[in-house]
Amino acid sequence: MTQIPFTRRPWLDRFFGLTEANTTVRRELRAGLTTFLTMSYILFVNPQILSAAIDVPNAFVQLLMVTAIAAAFGSAVMGLVAKYPFAQAPGMGLNAFFAYTVVLGMGIPWQTALGAVFISGVLFVLLSVVGARQAIVDAIPLSLKLAITGGIGAFLAFIGLKNAGIVVDNEATLLGLGQLTSAPVWIAMIGLLISGALMARRVTGAILWGILASTLIAIVTGAQVYVGPDGTLGAFSGFTGSIAGIISAPIWPGDLVGQMDLAGALGLGVLSVVLTFFFVDFFDATGTLTGLAHRAGYMKEGQEMPRARRLFASDGLAAMFGAFMGTSTTTAYVESASGIEEGGRTGLVAVTVAVLFLLAMFLWPLASAIPGAATAPALILVGAMMLEGLKHVDWDDITEALPAFLTLLFMPLTFSIANGVSFGVISYCGLKLLSGRGREVSPILYGIALLLALRYVYLGE
């Protein structure tokens, strides 16, 4: 088949390199929609968490708007500048650390905490521009890169199981099996079976169709899978029947924009907070981006990650912009793996997510029609697919196998990608050194392991 000359290809194809990535506009748009649906929960969860610490008029709606704007900006930068199919939004875990540990626990004003987030973003950009983040990625051995990808998959699956209520808290055993007859569980199980069967039949858009099918089943059957204002579950209540019941005009978050306190964040008393934000997000985001890039086929063995500086700088810029707008650290989302699994390979996926987040500012009541039980199967299924690379780990070599295992295990069990990467790196360096094979490790990785160990000793969690 004759290939169309570059100058005659549509501008979207030329700009994003669709032909080179062996993808199409339709596939990229579908992948973007899938990614958005699996991460759109952040529009409601992030305001719920941050409103506990940020006291402004109409806090929930203002924070929802900020969340959407920060996600749109971060995803757009990732798509247009770095040209990767990775979406960004205010990160889970970091928002809880911001609200409950820094502001409520330590008594630091939320404006100062936002300043700390901004400064950490500046550090991300500086390290990205000089190539330090790429050097760190290159220093990580293949076994750990594969384990990071698999660990993110296990983490995604665990989030999906938790969101569906399949895995719940248990005082005696820490974790336990949820109530299998509850509506969220059976809706999630039906969605998982539908998506899995469609994928086995190689149906295009299997994950997206599974989300939509399980949502429709929940609405038609009146399943109580929708979280109400009081936190209890109920059936889909529908809309008012008028256009006003679906579309709501955005509210400018004037009480949040530009409120960060940089001077306060630079004080010695907040230095540990800045460093904690930096360390946690640096390795969380670096681990996430590395795992996603490997899954998307951007990281071939022996080759460097393309456009690495722009990729990592985009992550830092997103964190800076999010702090300016009034939200905790904006970072790459592991849920981007769902779009990658749908075939998304270029920045057009991230740009699509950005547009959908902007539309969500007008249609956020409609977004509530997608329950968490419907998106949970996508996370579980994608998580399973991301474990595929673990077969290439040398399990016969304990110095490779044990760090990979710890990386894989620590991510879901500590609910932190950063912890998984940290314990994997520390154990890898320690085992290689003590087994007399220390020269197999890059000096850069030894330095990272030392910093990570000191971080746990002096800064804790």
Side-chain angles (χ1 to χ4, degrees), residues 168-177:
V168 297
D169 294 334
N170 186 296
E171 293 184 1
T173 61
L174 191 63
L175 295 175
L177 186 65

Side-chain angles (χ1 to χ4, degrees), residues 107-300:
I108 294 175
W110 60 267
Q111 297 91 337
T112 304
L114 288 176
V117 172
F118 184 88
I119 294 171
S120 68
V122 174
L123 294 175
F124 297 151
V125 173
L126 291 177
L127 288 176
S128 301
V129 170
V130 300
R133 291 182 79 172
Q134 176 59 30
I136 292 172
V137 171
D138 293 339
I140 298 175
L142 178 62
S143 61
L144 284 186
K145 289 177 180 176
L146 295 172
I148 289 170
T149 304
I152 291 174
F155 185 50
L156 274 175
F158 184 71
I159 292 174
L161 292 169
K162 176 179 175 292
N163 291 348
I166 299 173
V167 173
V168 297
D169 294 334
N170 186 296
E171 293 184 1
T173 61
L174 191 63
L175 295 175
L177 186 65
Q179 183 62 44
L180 296 183
T181 57
S182 67
V185 171
W186 63 262
I187 286 293
M189 294 302 295
I190 290 175
L192 182 61
L193 290 174
I194 292 174
S195 293
L198 291 176
M199 183 171 286
R201 292 177 174 270
R202 302 187 182 278
V203 174
T204 301
I207 295 176
L208 177 58
W209 287 119
I211 293 174
L212 297 177
S214 53
T215 298
L216 181 61
I217 292 172
I219 293 175
V220 171
T221 61
Q224 296 188 347
V225 295
Y226 293 88
V227 181
D230 58 353
T232 60
L233 293 175
F236 181 65
S237 58
F239 302 106
T240 62
S242 65
I243 195 69
I246 299 176
I247 299 177
S248 296
I251 296 176
W252 178 248
D255 296 309
L256 298 173
V257 177
Q259 295 301 308
M260 60 183 182
D261 180 8
L262 293 177
L266 290 171
L268 290 177
V270 191
L271 181 60
S272 64
V273 176
V274 174
L275 292 177
T276 300
F277 273 124
F278 172 75
F279 272 109
V280 173
D281 189 47
F282 180 90
F283 286 99
D284 197 329
T286 302
T288 299
L289 292 171
T290 301
L292 291 174
H294 189 274
R295 185 64 187 174
Y298 279 102
M299 295 185 66
K300 306 297 184 182

Side-chain angles (χ1 to χ4, degrees), residues 55 278 300 352 451:
D55 185 16
F278 172 75
K300 306 297 184 182
T352 301
L451 289 174

Side-chain angles (χ1 to χ4, degrees), residues 72 75 350-360:
S75 300
V351 173
T352 301
V353 175
V355 172
L356 291 172
F357 269 112
L358 290 178
L359 290 176

